[in-house]
Amino acid sequence: MIHTENHIIGNCHITIRQGEHNQVNIGAQGKFNNLSISINGSHNTIQIADCVKFSGHLLIVGSHLHINIDTLTTAIDCYILARDRSVSIGSECMISRGIEIRATDVHKVYDEKTGARINTATCDICIGKHVWIAANATISKNVQIANGCIIAAGSFVNKSITTPNCIIAGRPAKIVKTGIRWER
């Protein structure tokens, strides 16, 4: 279901490559520019809440996965991949350009002796409320980000940050300042 009270600019499209029982729900009063939604699998859901501004690509590969983007979140040129696990983004987040959020490593790596996969995604990506992700940052599998955080430009986040209201920076990212708050 796509609410009719949305502002659509540019080339926006939804593609279901294969599968069944998939849902795309887009709330009211959103603004979408060059939005691409692709689903390859069954029983998946993409949920975009009211008053979201988004440009970029939302991709689900697999079954029983979801991508949720909560109210008043904005994103410019963002790529979100739910494969192996799901992705949730809280309300009032500000996501800059060149962002990648990947709930998988896509390419599998195995232990040579045991044959066991060693780079599996074990939990969903969950970005809290009012998180600012600055330009060209990457968020990898198994990551959860607490409310009120800032992820600095160019950072690579591969571990969860449970401390709210902090600045995260670096490759790999770590907490560089706590006790902050930010405004648009």
Side-chain angles (χ1 to χ4, degrees), residues 20-97:
E20 57 188 15
H21 305 292
N22 294 298
Q23 292 184 349
V24 175
N25 300 311
I26 300 177
Q29 299 175 352
K31 291 185 181 178
F32 303 99
N33 184 11
N34 295 321
L35 170 63
S36 173
I37 295 175
S38 301
I39 299 175
N40 187 358
S42 298
H43 304 280
N44 298 299
T45 303
I46 292 179
Q47 180 77 38
I48 301 174
D50 293 342
C51 304
V52 169
K53 295 178 185 175
F54 193 94
S55 71
H57 191 175
L58 304 176
L59 173 60
I60 293 179
V61 178
S63 295
H64 303 282
L65 298 170
H66 66 266
I67 295 174
N68 291 333
I69 302 172
D70 208 347
T71 313
L72 298 169
T73 288
T74 61
I76 302 167
D77 185 29
C78 180
Y79 174 79
I80 299 174
L81 172 59
R83 179 176 181 166
D84 299 334
R85 303 302 273 189
S86 296
V87 176
S88 294
I89 299 173
S91 63
E92 299 179 4
C93 290
M94 185 168 64
I95 302 171
S96 188
R97 64 180 165 72

Side-chain angles (χ1 to χ4, degrees), residues 3-173:
H3 201 282
T4 57
E5 292 180 28
N6 285 302
H7 187 70
I8 307 222
I9 305 167
N11 186 16
C12 296
H13 62 276
I14 298 171
T15 304
I16 309 292
R17 293 187 188 146
Q18 66 178 20
E20 57 188 15
H21 305 292
N22 294 298
Q23 292 184 349
V24 175
N25 300 311
I26 300 177
Q29 299 175 352
K31 291 185 181 178
F32 303 99
N33 184 11
N34 295 321
L35 170 63
S36 173
I37 295 175
S38 301
I39 299 175
N40 187 358
S42 298
H43 304 280
N44 298 299
T45 303
I46 292 179
Q47 180 77 38
I48 301 174
D50 293 342
C51 304
V52 169
K53 295 178 185 175
F54 193 94
S55 71
H57 191 175
L58 304 176
L59 173 60
I60 293 179
V61 178
S63 295
H64 303 282
L65 298 170
H66 66 266
I67 295 174
N68 291 333
I69 302 172
D70 208 347
T71 313
L72 298 169
T73 288
T74 61
I76 302 167
D77 185 29
C78 180
Y79 174 79
I80 299 174
L81 172 59
R83 179 176 181 166
D84 299 334
R85 303 302 273 189
S86 296
V87 176
S88 294
I89 299 173
S91 63
E92 299 179 4
C93 290
M94 185 168 64
I95 302 171
S96 188
R97 64 180 165 72
I99 304 303
E100 286 196 25
I101 301 171
R102 304 170 145 264
T104 182
D105 273 346
V106 179
H107 302 293
K108 298 174 176 111
V109 178
Y110 298 94
D111 181 281
E112 190 173 35
K113 290 179 183 176
T114 67
R117 184 171 176 193
I118 58 175
N119 67 333
T120 58
T122 58
C123 66
D124 295 346
I125 290 178
C126 184
I127 297 170
K129 296 177 182 177
H130 195 68
V131 172
W132 175 7
I133 305 173
N136 301 314
T138 299
I139 298 174
S140 188
K141 68 183 187 313
N142 304 328
V143 168
Q144 298 184 355
I145 305 293
N147 296 339
C149 291
I150 298 172
I151 299 173
S155 294
F156 175 66
V157 184
N158 65 346
K159 297 212 178 342
S160 291
I161 303 296
T162 58
T163 302
N165 304 97
C166 67
I167 299 174
I168 306 154
R171 299 185 73 79

